[in-house]
Amino acid sequence: MYLFRGLKEQVQSYLDESQVETIQQSYIFARDAHEGQLRSSGDPYITHPVAVAKILASLHLDAQTIMAALMHDVIEDCEVTREQISELFGDRVAMLVEGVSKLTQIKFRSRQEAQAENFQKMMMAMVEDLRVVLIKLADRLHNMRTLGALKTEKRVRIAKETMEIYAPIANRLGMFAIRRELEDLGFAAQYPMRCRVLKESVRKAAGNRKEIVTSVTQNIHSRLEAEGIDSEVDGREKSVFSIYQKMLEKTGVFKQVMDVYGFRVIADSEDNCYRILGQLHNLYRPVPGRFKDYIAIPKTNGYQSLHTTLKGPYGLHIEVQIRTSEMDNLAENGVAAHWIYKNSTDVNRAEVNAREWMSNLLELKKNTEDPLDFIENVKIDLFPDEVYLFTPNGSIIELPKNATPVDFAYAIHTDVGNSCIACKVDSKIVSLSSILINGQTVEIITAPGAKPNPGWLSFVATSKARTNIRHFIKNLRRDDAVDLGRRLLEKSLGNISLDSLGKEVIEKVKKETHKEKFDDILAEIGLGQTASVIIAHRLVPSVEDVIKTHDNSNRPLAIKGTEGMMIEYAKCCHPVPGDSIVGTINAAGGFILHRQDCNNISDHESKLDKYVPVQWEKDVEGTFRVELKVEVVNRHGVLAKVTNLIAEDGANIANINIDTKDGSTNQLSFLIEVKGRLQLANLIKRIRTLDFVLKVSRNR
Ligand code: MN
């Protein structure tokens, strides 16, 4: 009987004597039924149902739920029938026990697998009586807490099922406290190493954090006290799993995740929540775009709170949740909050929402004949952060929210991603960057030889796409380097074309330079690691004469503007298409373009060997940076007028600097992006027409 004592004390605190009595009877019934059975840990089996009942009692659930929790494994594990339970404890309790038993028989391997029927069974059991799921969640929570006694393989399977099925259900029902614990336990069981490392890092960071948390808590508290607002303030500790998730989502850098501090302020009325918000925005500067009013517009699971992010001391981000204690109880326990007051006027919004959701499920069940349709609809509800899409032949691809056709292409296969050029969504051509929506059928159009576009990195949502594009760019840079190296080498070879050289010559140079491929040599030239002149000399010893006598008219290297990282535009003179240019290789081996009249290369005419003649191609692509210095009369609104004019002209402004020369004049420096010399000349002309402009010049 001693096992029952703790539970008895719990239920006595909120149930009446006769209810406690029937609960005790159900305990005795379950204990006798499980007599002789042991858990993997070696404990008597009855300790498990008692622990499950205690979890539910801590949520103040009703007597029937507690009784069913105590007996939840007797049909499954002992030879007890539903009828026996019904006779002894009533039909309702028997139904709950049977419902939980049915759920226990359902094993989910993963949610990707189309186990439509199992899923449907589970949802239907839930719809029949919500309490079935509450018992099942408590059951799972206790099993997760005592997972250690199981074999690794079983432990991992249960952990995975918990993460993929039960935690999202707890979330949908608004039961965050249980969800959080399920996720942390599941994470620890699935990735023991990662979890251990993270926990250790959290422990190490704890010292510093404590100081900051204490000081911010005090600041908030004293401000609110001074304003006469009653409240409780506390610093929230992040769960290990939520840190891990944030790291996956964002930068992957532990410190950046830990630099965000969470606080919760509990107010005594809804009205005060908004007053507190006002005070906090006055105390610390709010971060724009981060305020959310879930009090006026609750989340689908009933969650209510105000969210805001503030710039705290040392520039740290402070995330604050403001809510009343009722909202807080609801946020932690969801549908299970206030269960006992069901007949009072205190409406539990989470429960109302859950019931609404369930009647929708029933409706849906009636209207969908195909269990697959049903499951897809339910999944959308349960996993709102995912989208489910179809391939033209009907397979389902699951992607995170905000995924694009490029993500979809990579999800099918890396090769499909690498060679995709266009996309049809529901038979219409759409842009590769458009955001996909649940239920769409997506067809990826590929072309042989097509290449991923580095620009895709700015919109892809999956790590698979990101990794593959990055990997490709790395190789692409090599292609760029090889291409540039070839052009530099041909330049150095003067009138001799590379293709006209004999195989033996190429082989000889490969051997001399210890390179396997000639492309490796070209790449090194392109990357500036080897001077093209040296290789040219190795290929054709007589080439020296060519180099010495060459001049600018002799096949200068053509610049297309698409060389990417292989060519750098000098920051002293900022050459743009149309300018006369000269190329040089710097000490670090990079290829740099200067304007011919740049002060830094005044020796270029006397030292031909140091410089490479270059010229612009006819049609150069891209935009180029130029530094403009504008001397103006120091007058109000001058800067705005010049920037407006530049913007009107379609040039991008990358940076602005203001120098006060003396009291009466200012020197404005603009770093702007233009297409070429013509656009720049026109822009300078227009700036000169402004009456307050004294001088406009380009830096060199
Ligand atoms: Mn159980």
Side-chain angles (χ1 to χ4, degrees):
M1 220 45 202
Y2 73 98
L3 274 173
F4 184 63
R5 209 171 298 144
L7 175 63
K8 187 172 180 177
E9 273 168 28
Q10 268 185 304
V11 291
Q12 269 172 338
S13 73
Y14 69 95
L15 294 174
D16 60 41
E17 208 41 53
S18 64
Q19 287 175 313
V20 176
E21 180 54 35
T22 43
I23 290 174
Q24 183 158 339
Q25 281 165 16
S26 66
Y27 163 73
I28 293 167
F29 180 81
R31 185 196 60 191
D32 294 348
H34 287 297
E35 182 67 49
Q37 293 175 352
L38 295 178
R39 303 199 81 212
S40 312
S41 60
D43 293 330
Y45 196 87
I46 187 68
T47 55
H48 165 63
V50 169
V52 174
K54 277 177 147 179
I55 293 171
L56 295 163
S58 72
L59 293 167
H60 287 201
L61 287 170
D62 63 323
Q64 291 181 336
T65 310
I66 306 296
M67 289 161 75
L70 285 167
M71 298 185 288
H72 80 266
D73 278 331
V74 297
I75 293 184
E76 176 85 357
D77 297 344
C78 319
E79 274 163 23
V80 173
T81 61
R82 175 189 165 144
E83 286 66 37
Q84 279 173 285
I85 299 172
S86 177
E87 243 167 69
L88 287 165
F89 302 104
D91 199 44
R92 208 65 210 166
V93 174
M95 190 230 90
L96 289 174
V97 174
E98 195 190 42
V100 177
S101 304
K102 275 189 197 154
L103 285 191
T104 305
Q105 285 160 6
I106 303 173
K107 299 265 187 291
F108 295 98
R109 237 165 279 138
S110 84
R111 71 169 111 122
Q112 276 85 0
E113 285 176 35
Q115 295 163 295
E117 268 164 59
N118 279 346
F119 211 92
Q120 194 167 328
K121 265 189 221 152
M122 171 148 197
M123 288 302 143
M124 285 308 115
M126 194 154 100
V127 173
E128 227 174 301
D129 194 321
L130 195 52
R131 293 176 296 178
V132 169
V133 175
L134 299 185
I135 297 168
K136 186 65 207 168
L137 284 172
D139 175 40
R140 178 49 63 108
L141 182 58
H142 184 248
N143 283 336
M144 289 300 292
R145 283 177 184 169
T146 53
L147 209 51
L150 298 179
K151 284 198 189 101
T152 315
E153 198 186 320
K154 195 169 180 197
R155 204 158 58 202
V156 170
R157 181 188 68 76
I158 292 177
K160 193 160 183 244
E161 188 186 68
T162 300
M163 297 296 260
E164 299 199 334
I165 305 292
Y166 290 101
I169 288 177
N171 179 48
R172 188 60 181 76
L173 299 176
M175 305 171 76
F176 287 107
I178 286 186
R179 170 196 156 187
R180 205 164 34 229
E181 200 181 337
L182 285 176
E183 282 177 344
D184 268 354
L185 293 167
F187 174 57
Q190 250 187 316
Y191 304 108
M193 273 303 281
R194 293 180 209 187
C195 185
R196 213 173 307 142
V197 170
L198 262 187
K199 271 191 179 150
E200 183 56 24
S201 312
V202 170
R203 201 187 55 76
K204 277 188 190 148
N208 280 332
R209 287 181 66 82
K210 211 173 164 200
E211 233 169 81
I212 293 167
V213 169
T214 312
S215 105
V216 171
T217 307
Q218 264 165 9
N219 281 350
I220 295 178
H221 198 262
S222 44
R223 164 62 76 100
L224 295 179
E225 209 170 46
E227 291 299 318
I229 306 171
D230 245 2
S231 68
E232 270 172 56
V233 186
D234 66 316
R236 286 180 289 130
E237 270 317 306
K238 284 198 178 77
S239 75
V240 175
F241 180 68
S242 75
I243 294 171
Y244 176 66
Q245 240 181 346
K246 284 235 165 78
M247 284 172 66
L248 283 189
E249 254 169 52
K250 293 186 180 159
T251 52
V253 181
F254 179 73
K255 193 179 167 299
Q256 284 185 12
V257 175
M258 292 304 277
D259 274 353
V260 180
Y261 288 73
F263 289 86
R264 182 176 304 151
V265 185
I266 305 295
D268 57 4
S269 69
E270 194 176 303
D271 202 36
N272 271 349
C273 290
Y274 291 98
R275 283 179 64 204
I276 290 168
L277 179 80
Q279 286 306 324
L280 293 188
H281 279 192
N282 189 262
L283 182 62
Y284 297 114
R285 203 157 51 82
V287 177
R290 295 296 295 273
F291 170 62
K292 298 238 165 59
D293 187 348
Y294 293 121
I295 290 183
I297 304 158
K299 287 193 185 179
T300 46
N301 59 20
Y303 176 87
Q304 283 189 296
S305 192
L306 298 178
H307 287 189
T308 188
T309 303
L310 308 164
K311 262 254 188 331
Y314 320 111
L316 296 169
H317 275 196
I318 299 178
E319 289 174 355
V320 193
Q321 301 174 345
I322 308 164
R323 53 187 178 238
T324 66
S325 50
E326 289 79 31
M327 291 173 194
D328 192 49
N329 180 10
L330 200 92
E332 289 296 306
N333 302 320
V335 288
H338 306 300
W339 194 273
I340 204 71
Y341 315 119
K342 204 164 17 202
N343 297 323
S344 76
T345 48
D346 190 357
V347 182
N348 177 344
R349 194 186 286 267
E351 203 193 322
V352 171
N353 278 306
R355 293 200 181 282
E356 233 168 69
W357 177 44
M358 289 181 182
S359 66
N360 284 343
L361 286 184
L362 267 184
E363 187 81 354
L364 190 67
K365 170 98 189 327
K366 267 188 234 147
N367 297 336
T368 46
E369 288 184 4
D370 185 357
L372 260 173
D373 272 357
F374 176 79
I375 189 175
E376 283 319 314
N377 277 298
V378 176
K379 274 179 167 178
I380 291 162
D381 266 352
L382 272 184
F383 314 113
D385 292 338
E386 261 108 56
V387 284
Y388 297 89
L389 303 150
F390 296 92
T391 63
N393 61 27
S395 332
I396 296 167
I397 302 270
E398 179 193 327
L399 291 172
K401 219 175 174 175
N402 294 329
T404 62
V406 175
D407 293 294
F408 187 90
Y410 278 104
I412 295 174
H413 196 277
T414 304
D415 291 341
V416 176
N418 281 341
S419 60
C420 79
I421 49 161
C423 166
K424 276 185 184 172
V425 166
D426 293 336
S427 314
K428 274 194 208 100
I429 293 271
V430 303
S431 124
L432 283 176
S433 64
S434 44
I435 302 237
L436 298 171
I437 297 165
N438 256 320
Q440 286 177 329
T441 298
V442 183
E443 186 186 344
I444 298 296
I445 300 159
T446 60
K451 289 172 184 173
N453 180 341
W456 292 350
L457 282 175
S458 65
F459 58 71
V460 292
T462 55
S463 57
K464 185 169 186 200
R466 193 169 298 279
T467 320
N468 278 304
I469 298 166
R470 284 228 178 95
H471 179 76
F472 192 88
I473 290 174
K474 242 186 171 169
N475 293 332
L476 189 73
R477 276 178 61 185
R478 185 186 145 83
D479 287 351
D480 274 350
V482 169
D483 186 46
L484 178 64
R486 176 181 302 275
R487 283 191 281 150
L488 283 168
L489 184 57
E490 286 191 329
K491 174 74 207 77
S492 295
L493 284 168
N495 295 321
I496 308 162
S497 117
L498 258 182
D499 298 330
S500 71
L501 292 173
K503 238 188 178 173
E504 325 74 63
V505 179
I506 303 278
E507 285 304 318
K508 178 184 79 101
V509 174
K510 265 160 56 179
K511 233 183 227 148
E512 284 170 1
T513 52
H514 309 289
K515 289 284 183 296
E516 254 179 61
K517 294 182 199 149
F518 195 64
D519 272 4
D520 294 341
I521 300 173
L522 295 178
E524 278 198 353
I525 297 173
L527 290 166
Q529 289 154 351
T530 303
S532 60
V533 183
I534 294 168
I535 300 299
H537 184 68
R538 285 184 191 278
L539 287 167
V540 185
S542 65
V543 85
E544 249 169 304
D545 313 326
V546 181
I547 297 166
K548 276 185 188 145
T549 54
H550 76 200
D551 60 22
N552 287 359
S553 63
N554 183 15
R555 283 183 61 198
L557 179 67
I559 301 298
K560 295 187 282 192
T562 53
E563 290 83 1
M565 350 249 321
M566 294 308 127
I567 287 184
E568 199 183 308
Y569 300 89
K571 291 195 176 62
C572 43
C573 56
H574 291 290
V576 302
D579 289 333
S580 303
I581 46 176
V582 164
T584 160
I585 291 173
N586 70 2
F591 190 80
I592 302 169
L593 289 186
H594 286 269
R595 275 156 62 192
Q596 274 188 7
D597 56 356
C598 173
N599 295 332
N600 289 336
I601 56 155
S602 48
D603 60 349
H604 81 274
E605 276 176 338
S606 54
K607 293 190 176 163
L608 276 183
D609 56 326
K610 245 182 94 185
Y611 296 97
V612 185
V614 282
Q615 71 177 27
W616 297 100
E617 282 263 36
K618 269 217 184 72
D619 300 302
V620 181
E621 292 169 39
T623 57
F624 298 81
R625 293 194 161 184
V626 171
E627 199 178 353
L628 272 192
K629 292 208 181 300
V630 184
E631 221 175 288
V632 295
V633 176
N634 190 358
R635 206 193 283 162
H636 184 71
V638 160
L639 180 64
K641 276 182 189 150
V642 182
T643 48
N644 275 345
L645 202 148
I646 295 172
E648 266 170 39
D649 214 65
N652 221 1
I653 301 176
N655 197 14
I656 300 177
N657 230 323
I658 303 166
D659 259 339
T660 308
K661 291 190 104 178
D662 49 59
S664 60
T665 62
N666 276 343
Q667 169 133 304
L668 313 174
S669 308
F670 295 91
L671 192 59
I672 60 172
E673 288 167 351
V674 294
K675 288 214 159 60
R677 201 177 158 85
L678 193 65
Q679 184 190 6
L680 185 62
N682 281 330
L683 183 60
I684 292 175
K685 215 187 284 167
R686 290 188 59 198
I687 295 175
R688 281 208 179 104
T689 62
L690 296 169
D691 60 349
F692 52 80
V693 170
L694 304 170
K695 198 177 154 196
V696 186
S697 63
R698 242 180 111 182
N699 217 25
R700 52 174 159 130

